[in-house]
Amino acid sequence: PQPPPAQLDRAVKALEDLQRRHPAHGKAKIASFLAARCYASLGRGDDALRSLAAFLAAQADAGLAEIPAARAMQGDVLAWSGRSAAAGDAYETALRLAPDLRAAQEGLRRLEAMAQPGPLRVDLGVRFDSLGAGRSDWWREDLLVSYGIAPGTTLFGGVTQYRRYDDDDTQGTFAVAWAAPGGWWLGAGATVAPGADVVARYAFDAELARRIDERAVVQLRYRRSWYVGGVETDALAPGIEIWPLEDLKLAARYHFTRVSGGRIGHASSLRAELFPDGRLSPYAGIAYGTEAFAPSTVQSARTHARSVSAAAGLTWRHHSGFGLRLGYAFQDLDETYQRHGVETGVWVDF
């Protein structure tokens, strides 16, 4: 959890006292760097820059491992304050000192994305699912448009067409995402489908994420949905993404679902992706748990079922802003159906 501001102020004072009274202490050399991290987490950019400048002036030639990280942090703070050119210089300096430093690599990528005039992406997708147990097949078609209205802020709008159980429903979605100072990401969205019978008529989504380490991001997602017949669901999914290796990303998540009437579902999922920032990124994932579903969305009197899922796919990115994805997914919903799904999608950046 994020400490309160007063606690961080006390931590900064303790670091300053340590540096003044015990200059030979092992932590005294990096006290200004640690203070800068405290200031940055509070959004106090000017104080963070002053502490970083003091640290680099005193320790620039000391060969400390924190030197490249301090340069990358300078880039983050400068980018938050809109000084993109200076931020780029700081990131490049960090990479000259430590070419594999992820914080500096990601900072440069963010700057490049923000520098694009009117960043617009159009994403088209289609998915087909074959269900067993005599059930009709499912289809889904997606159109999603995103536009960066300001550095770190993106708007999303889209339409999704569903065909399930021989019924057709259409959902519209609007969302906004914001990359905030201190390594925070915030997102919120709303989905509407008045008159829908097999998907949510209304839904609200919220997501909160924070980078806690060079190789770790914690996330929390929440979704509230309203279905035909007065059925309501709440879905909560905390998770974490880690990079145990430079080119390997692992994402683990717990899924809690409550359906009106007291039905509860629990599940866990794990996904692995190779070369997540590369031109070609294969992925694979598994999930296991108990699914609680609304009677209005499944042609069955059952309210719970054990679920086992697996998925795999490939994402290809071209440097010109064009990309393609292919995927396969399998689900075994105990004594209900076995579902085999294939999907493909394409996106273009303008």
Side-chain angles (χ1 to χ4, degrees):
Q2 175 73 14
Q7 185 175 339
L8 287 173
D9 285 336
R10 290 194 295 271
V12 170
K13 187 178 185 305
L15 290 167
E16 292 172 347
D17 290 343
L18 172 66
Q19 193 174 40
R20 184 177 61 256
R21 297 178 182 179
H22 307 283
H25 190 280
K27 292 292 186 182
K29 291 184 177 181
I30 62 170
S32 295
F33 170 74
L34 297 175
R37 291 180 62 178
C38 294
Y39 286 133
S41 69
L42 293 173
R44 291 165 57 178
D46 290 341
D47 290 329
L49 289 174
R50 278 193 290 270
S51 291
L52 288 169
F55 169 68
L56 291 169
Q59 308 295 340
D61 299 321
L64 298 176
E66 289 79 9
I67 297 295
R71 293 294 186 183
M73 194 189 307
Q74 275 186 326
D76 289 340
V77 177
L78 290 166
W80 301 337
S81 61
R83 289 173 277 181
S84 299
D89 291 341
Y91 289 135
E92 289 173 357
T93 301
L95 289 173
R96 282 196 295 271
L97 297 170
D100 295 329
L101 186 61
R102 181 175 292 274
Q105 293 172 343
E106 293 184 350
L108 276 179
R109 280 195 290 269
R110 286 194 300 269
L111 286 180
E112 291 170 358
M114 290 187 295
Q116 297 175 4
L120 174 69
R121 170 172 289 192
V122 177
D123 192 314
L124 298 169
V126 61
R127 173 166 175 156
F128 168 77
D129 289 272
S130 176
L131 281 69
R135 299 180 184 275
S136 60
D137 298 329
W138 292 0
W139 284 92
R140 189 189 76 202
E141 298 90 28
D142 302 283
L143 167 63
L144 179 66
V145 178
S146 60
Y147 184 78
I149 60 171
T153 304
T154 305
L155 296 181
F156 301 84
V159 177
T160 303
Q161 174 68 37
Y162 295 90
R163 181 163 184 80
R164 294 182 178 177
Y165 308 114
D166 298 319
D167 282 325
D168 294 293
D169 285 331
T170 302
Q171 287 182 331
T173 299
F174 175 80
V176 59
W178 179 46
W184 290 92
W185 288 269
L186 309 173
T191 298
V192 295
D197 292 321
V198 294
V199 296
R201 292 188 168 187
Y202 303 97
F204 170 76
D205 295 272
E207 181 171 1
L208 177 67
R210 187 170 191 267
R211 179 171 295 281
I212 58 173
D213 186 76
E214 282 295 315
R215 296 178 178 268
V217 175
V218 292
Q219 301 168 323
L220 180 64
R221 295 175 183 171
Y222 172 73
R223 182 178 178 90
R224 172 78 169 177
S225 304
W226 293 263
Y227 292 84
V228 65
V231 175
E232 301 178 8
T233 67
D234 293 283
L236 189 67
I240 185 170
E241 292 183 351
I242 61 173
W243 285 259
L245 300 173
E246 185 67 26
D247 294 318
L248 173 64
K249 181 172 74 172
L250 299 178
R253 193 174 294 277
Y254 165 71
H255 307 263
F256 170 85
T257 306
R258 184 195 66 82
V259 181
S260 54
R263 288 163 284 165
I264 303 295
H266 303 272
S268 299
S269 64
L270 178 66
R271 174 184 164 117
E273 184 177 4
L274 284 173
F275 313 111
D277 298 318
R279 186 169 184 177
L280 199 62
S281 303
Y283 71 86
I286 56 173
Y288 177 84
T290 300
E291 183 169 328
F293 40 75
S296 61
T297 61
V298 176
Q299 294 173 343
S300 171
R302 303 175 67 210
T303 59
H304 292 82
R306 174 190 55 78
S307 176
V308 179
S309 302
L314 191 66
T315 301
W316 175 76
R317 305 173 183 86
H318 192 266
H319 63 81
S320 64
F322 170 83
L324 177 69
R325 62 181 179 275
L326 301 169
Y328 166 79
F330 168 79
Q331 182 187 22
D332 182 4
L333 198 59
D334 189 36
E335 297 184 11
T336 306
Y337 58 67
Q338 285 192 343
R339 178 159 57 101
H340 298 267
V342 291
E343 63 178 331
T344 185
V346 62
W347 74 86
V348 181
D349 294 325
F350 298 92

